[in-house]
Amino acid sequence: SQQGEEDPQALSIQEGENATMNCSYKTSINNLQWYRQNSGRGLVHLILIRSNEREKHSGRLRVTLDTSKKSSSLLITASRAADTASYFCATDYGNNRLAFGKGNQVVVIP
Amino acid sequence: DAGVTQSPTHLIKTRGQQVTLRCSPISGHKSVSWYQQVLGQGPQFIFQYYEKEERGRGNFPDRFSARQFPNYSSELNVNALLLGDSALYLCASSLARPSSYNSPLHFGNGTRLTVT
């Protein structure tokens, strides 16, 4: 199936450090989105990057997209304990139906 | 404004039973989608509705069905429950039409279904 795949799947960092997650996909997309999920609750949309964009920022978040490599990365700078969550990338192939990866578990140690 | 609301929050059913899950989208959102999230995995697309019509269906058996009402709320029905149907069922709404991409989804907190 055409799904995003995140790498690494589990990350443990100290508060204040940066966290980087990567995501790859298989075919052409219209956009790629990152979501956060806390403890099995609903997903919260973080950032959407269109296929013609290469980098996007939102607060402490930075997302890059490399369509030639079919990959994206999410960087969280100056992490906080509240950033502890699972992070998912999701690809939209043009019909607003998302294909999610397996997710990255990020633990920020105070 | 209220976000996407789902009910019930938790549900325990026995194999073979039927279940109905409910979702109310954000006010003004006409598109509703359903996703299944098995523990430890990412959400999997089940259905997409827009203006009361089914606009997309994922790779799920016919035991799964859904509908959208005139007020844009939605129900997901699952018949003949199997143990493997145990999952978090997420509803999401969007302002955009399905053909109009580049619009994020707004998720509810989900219904945790346990099948015993």
Side-chain angles (χ1 to χ4, degrees):
Chain A
S1 60
Q2 300 164 342
Q3 294 183 341
E5 294 283 344
E6 295 92 348
D7 173 65
Q9 297 207 345
L11 190 61
S12 183
I13 57 173
Q14 295 288 330
E15 200 166 33
E17 292 181 339
N18 296 341
T20 300
M21 288 155 272
N22 298 307
C23 169
S24 60
Y25 56 92
K26 296 178 181 177
T27 62
S28 297
I29 59 172
N30 281 300
N31 67 67
L32 186 143
Q33 303 177 34
W34 287 89
Y35 287 80
R36 184 186 72 216
Q37 185 177 40
N38 290 84
S39 301
R41 293 173 63 84
L43 283 81
V44 174
H45 178 261
L46 296 176
I47 200 163
L48 181 154
I49 186 165
R50 302 181 184 191
S51 59
N52 61 354
E53 297 175 314
R54 291 298 167 259
E55 188 171 311
K56 205 161 183 180
H57 297 255
S58 177
R60 294 183 295 111
L61 305 179
R62 172 178 170 256
V63 167
T64 63
L65 180 65
D66 187 335
T67 52
S68 65
K69 295 182 180 178
K70 293 186 173 56
S71 67
S72 173
S73 68
L74 170 66
L75 168 67
I76 305 173
T77 60
S79 62
R80 305 168 181 169
D83 294 329
T84 294
S86 293
Y87 292 82
F88 294 89
C89 74
T91 47
D92 184 347
Y93 295 98
N95 49 20
N96 217 26
R97 300 167 213 165
L98 300 182
F100 285 86
K102 294 180 181 177
N104 263 293
Q105 279 193 305
V106 175
V107 175
V108 181
I109 303 167
Chain B
D1 286 339
V4 177
T5 57
Q6 292 187 243
S7 64
T9 55
H10 294 83
L11 203 51
I12 299 175
K13 290 285 189 178
T14 304
R15 276 179 300 177
Q17 287 188 317
Q18 175 265 341
V19 67
T20 298
L21 311 180
R22 295 176 177 83
C23 171
S24 293
I26 291 172
S27 178
H29 286 194
K30 299 180 180 179
S31 179
V32 170
S33 299
W34 287 93
Y35 288 79
Q36 180 197 64
Q37 186 178 22
V38 174
L39 195 63
Q41 301 292 317
Q44 296 287 316
F45 170 74
I46 311 175
F47 282 111
Q48 181 188 56
Y49 276 79
Y50 180 77
E51 290 279 17
K52 296 166 286 181
E53 291 187 2
E54 182 183 305
R55 294 302 185 97
R57 183 186 183 115
N59 189 24
F60 281 81
D62 291 344
R63 298 185 296 108
F64 289 76
S65 64
R67 54 180 175 169
Q68 187 177 31
F69 299 99
N71 66 353
Y72 304 112
S73 66
S74 178
E75 287 183 350
L76 175 70
N77 295 285
V78 187
N79 293 323
L81 285 167
L82 303 174
L83 295 179
D85 295 331
S86 294
L88 180 68
Y89 288 85
L90 295 160
C91 174
S93 74
S94 172
L95 194 58
R97 295 174 296 167
S99 59
S100 173
Y101 43 91
N102 295 324
S103 179
L105 297 184
H106 301 265
F107 283 86
N109 283 329
T111 294
R112 175 73 62 187
L113 172 64
T114 302
V115 182
T116 62

